[in-house]
């Protein structure tokens, strides 16, 4: 005999907040008027490694897994491929390393345990070391990750500081068993597994970074090309015209701190660009919306490898950058516009403390505007510009781009995607690259070099593409009586809760106008449901 299924009527009173924590759980009702948890909440700090005393044994024993050294031929081929992409006349992201295939599962035999068995109530520990010789920093990609009740912490040592990533539990940060770790300095990292009887991890790839941002921060690097019988050879030279952003008192602090250094996988190479976190129009949430260049080639297929590193800047004018910086990993590509070289991404997680999104304007850049960027993948710099109508730029009369003449400073590969700000600190453009004679030659990066201009995609064009997301912020709007187009914004809400829920991501808010929504909705994402101005009834 079939028993009829009861329907659930979910009633929300005006300004009552419901937090849906997980599938199968009842909503948690908070008191009317209280602010629900949202993306402004601070992230938890990683736990210190419990196995640090075993690292010496791991390096010397059976628990060390070592890839072969990257050959000179591999490095030369990657460098030549990257250099050719720059001289092709099209902007490309900066190459900062290789992606190496591992494709191996590490079972219980790969891990060492403490000499003394754990006492009752203590967690079991396992440790292995992973090395890619010659790397200045490493990132690991775990696949089929499932720790059950255990956890994985990845760490290394940089001088006297122990730097950790994790702990990672369950099926990883995005609950799908597939994720990249943030970078760790050096060519050897340690993988600690706790709370598991028989540890088993599958590592698909390792990002072998051969440009250490901390090291190159001390000596600004520049990619130049020389041609000998058709061959392209990379050379490293000093570029002394860069301006430390911390020495420029006119630079807006929120614009500076919203600028992020980006590293990511493109094919079997590691690449670098710059991006900017933008403020949205929802005053109740803070979503990490990232603007960068389309030509950086961060796509739906590789956005999981994206690491956005924040506050990579000297600690004071003339000071040194920190040894480690906060970062966010992965995201969702929301919008792309090749006409003005724009890509718009929602990063995973919450913004680190100290990072304030940049303000923006749909106006143009006056004299004294400035760019903030990570040239060569190094620490943050500023370049000051005036508008230009340079006739040698193919973009001069293009309605999609601003053409700018550098007055102080310079730009380099790695600066791509960075923001152009007006003197009040509002973003008005994003960097495509340089144009004009000799931009592929040794000269043309510094303001004192003739024959080039910087080209920025107009934010006024970008705004028309991403307006929806800036209006939504972290709150999706629903109104069953709305009669126009449906975008989930306050002015163009969805008419059904189902449509609003389908757009939602973890920890968003669903703001619903009063009414009876005669529909069935299964809530399986952590989110907040808010009745806006009266009683809302959901169900059949």
């Amino acid at each position: 005999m079939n028993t009829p299924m009861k329907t659930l009527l979910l009633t929300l009173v005006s300004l009552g907040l419901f937090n849906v924590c997980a599938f199968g759980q009842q909503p948690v009702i908070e008191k009317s008027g209280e602010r629900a948890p949202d993306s402004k909440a601070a992230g938890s700090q990683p736990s210190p490694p419990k196995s640090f005393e075993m690292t010496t044994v791991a390096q010397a024993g059976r628990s060390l897994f070592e890839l072969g050294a990257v050959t000179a031929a591999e490095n030369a081929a990657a460098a030549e491929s990257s250099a050719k992409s720059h001289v092709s006349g099209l902007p490309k992201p900066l190459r900062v390393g290789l992606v190496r295939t591992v494709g191996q599962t590490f079972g219980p035999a790969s891990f060492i345990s403490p000499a003394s068995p754990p006492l009752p109530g203590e967690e079991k520990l396992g440790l292995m070391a992973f090395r890619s010789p010659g790397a200045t920093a490493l990132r690991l990609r775990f696949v089929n990750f499932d720790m059950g009740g255990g956890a994985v912490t990845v760490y290394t040592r940089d001088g006297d500081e122990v730097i950790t990533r994790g702990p990672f539990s369950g099926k990883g940060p995005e609950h799908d068993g597939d994720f990249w770790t943030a970078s760790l300095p050096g060519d050897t990292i340690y993988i600690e597994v706790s709370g598991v009887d028989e540890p088993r991890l599958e590592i698909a790839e390792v990002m072998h970074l051969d440009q250490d941002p901390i090291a190159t921060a001390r000596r600004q690097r520049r990619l130049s090309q020389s041609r000998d019988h058709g061959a392209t050879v990379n050379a490293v030279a000093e570029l002394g015209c860069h301006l430390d952003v911390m020495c420029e008192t006119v630079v807006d602090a929120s614009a500076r701190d919203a600028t992020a250094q980006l590293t990511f996988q493109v094919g079997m190479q590691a690449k670098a660009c710059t991006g900017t976190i933008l403020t949205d129009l929802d005053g109740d949430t803070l979503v990490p919306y990232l603007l960068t260049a389309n030509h950086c080639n961060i796509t739906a297929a590789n956005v999981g490898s994206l690491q956005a590193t924040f506050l990579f800047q000297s600690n004071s004018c003339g000071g040194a950058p920190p040894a480690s910086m906060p970062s966010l990993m992965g995201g969702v590509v929301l919008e792309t516009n090749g006409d003005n070289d724009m890509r718009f991404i929602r990063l995973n997680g919450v913004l680190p403390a100290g990072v304030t999104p940049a303000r923006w304007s749909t106006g143009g850049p006056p004299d004294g505007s400035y760019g903030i960027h990570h040239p060569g993948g190094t620490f943050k710099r500023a370049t000051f510009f005036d508008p230009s109508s340079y006739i040698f730029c193919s973009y001069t009369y293009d309605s999609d781009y601003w053409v700018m003449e550098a007055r102080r400073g310079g730009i380099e590969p790695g600066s791509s995607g960075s923001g152009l700000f007006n003197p009040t600190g509002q973003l008005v453009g994003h960097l495509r690259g340089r144009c004009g004679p000799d931009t592929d030659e040794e000269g043309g990066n510094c303001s004192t070099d003739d024959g080039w201009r910087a080209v920025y995609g107009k934010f006024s064009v970008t705004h028309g593409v991403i307006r929806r997301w800036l209006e939504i912020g972290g709150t999706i709007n629903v109104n069953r009586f709305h009669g126009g187009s449906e975008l989930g914004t306050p002015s163009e809400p969805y008419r059904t809760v189902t449509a609003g829920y389908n757009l939602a991501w973890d920890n968003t808010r669903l703001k619903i106008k009063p009414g009876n929504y005669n529909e069935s909705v299964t809530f399986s994402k952590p989110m907040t449901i808010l009745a806006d101005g009266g009683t809302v009834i959901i169900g059949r």
Side-chain angles (χ1 to χ4, degrees), residues 42-283:
S44 60
Q45 296 297 316
S47 302
K50 306 168 186 176
S51 55
F52 189 71
E53 71 281 357
M54 297 190 292
T55 56
T56 303
V57 178
Q59 285 223 41
R62 58 178 170 77
S63 62
L64 171 64
F65 177 82
E66 182 169 344
L67 289 171
V70 175
T71 66
E74 286 177 301
N75 266 328
E80 182 175 350
S81 173
S82 180
K84 283 181 177 178
S85 71
H86 286 292
V87 301
S88 68
L90 297 174
K92 299 290 182 182
L94 175 71
R95 189 195 78 86
V96 291
L98 302 172
V99 176
R100 310 185 69 188
T101 300
V102 180
Q104 185 163 333
T105 298
F106 298 91
S110 300
F111 294 83
I112 58 171
S113 301
S116 301
L119 298 174
E122 289 186 336
E123 288 184 320
K124 294 184 177 180
L125 283 181
L127 180 72
M128 66 170 287
F130 184 99
R131 179 180 296 156
S132 184
T136 57
L138 294 175
R139 297 177 60 193
L140 298 179
R141 180 188 173 195
F142 292 106
V143 296
N144 300 316
F145 186 91
D146 190 351
M147 278 295 101
V152 171
T153 300
V154 182
Y155 65 94
T156 191
R157 187 166 187 165
D158 185 27
D160 294 332
E161 184 178 4
V162 178
I163 302 173
T164 66
R165 306 297 185 213
F168 306 108
S169 58
K171 292 190 176 183
E174 298 307 307
H175 317 295
D176 60 0
D178 188 340
F179 66 96
W180 283 90
T181 68
S183 64
L184 286 166
D187 68 355
T188 303
I189 57 180
Y190 302 97
I191 305 171
E192 173 192 281
V193 179
S194 60
V196 177
D197 291 333
E198 295 188 352
R200 189 173 302 275
L201 292 173
E202 185 175 348
I203 300 175
E205 296 170 309
V206 58
M207 198 174 293
H208 174 109
L209 300 173
D210 52 33
Q211 293 188 32
D212 179 9
I214 303 301
T216 53
R218 301 187 182 100
R219 63 182 192 286
Q220 176 56 42
R221 304 183 66 180
R222 174 182 181 168
L223 182 68
S224 62
Q225 293 84 34
S226 61
R227 296 169 181 81
D228 182 13
H229 304 294
T232 302
V233 181
N234 287 329
V236 176
E238 296 296 327
L239 184 59
C241 67
H242 283 308
L243 306 175
D244 185 341
V245 72
M246 299 301 289
C247 298
E248 304 298 325
T249 57
V250 298
V251 169
D252 181 80
S254 63
R256 178 194 68 208
D257 296 341
T259 300
Q261 196 257 350
L262 311 178
T263 57
F264 46 93
Q265 175 185 13
V266 177
M268 298 308 290
Q269 295 194 13
K271 300 284 189 174
C273 277
T274 303
T276 309
I277 298 293
L278 298 185
T279 189
D280 59 57
L281 301 179
D282 180 13

Side-chain angles (χ1 to χ4, degrees), residues 15-18 29-37 509 528 530:
L15 295 181
L17 302 181
F18 290 75
I29 304 176
E30 298 191 349
K31 294 180 181 179
S32 176
E34 286 192 356
R35 187 168 179 272
R509 307 194 322 163
T528 297
L530 170 64

Side-chain angles (χ1 to χ4, degrees), residues 243 367-369 383-388 404-410 446-448 452-453:
L243 306 175
D367 289 353
S369 296
T383 305
F384 290 85
F385 296 99
D386 293 337
S388 172
M404 307 297 293
E405 181 177 4
R407 296 303 187 187
R408 290 195 298 130
C446 291
S447 58
T448 53
W452 70 277
R453 295 294 187 270

Side-chain angles (χ1 to χ4, degrees), residues 328-343:
L328 294 180
M329 305 296 303
V332 178
V333 176
L334 298 175
E335 303 289 351
T336 297
N337 185 8
D339 291 339
N340 76 332
D341 197 31
M342 175 278 292
R343 194 150 296 186

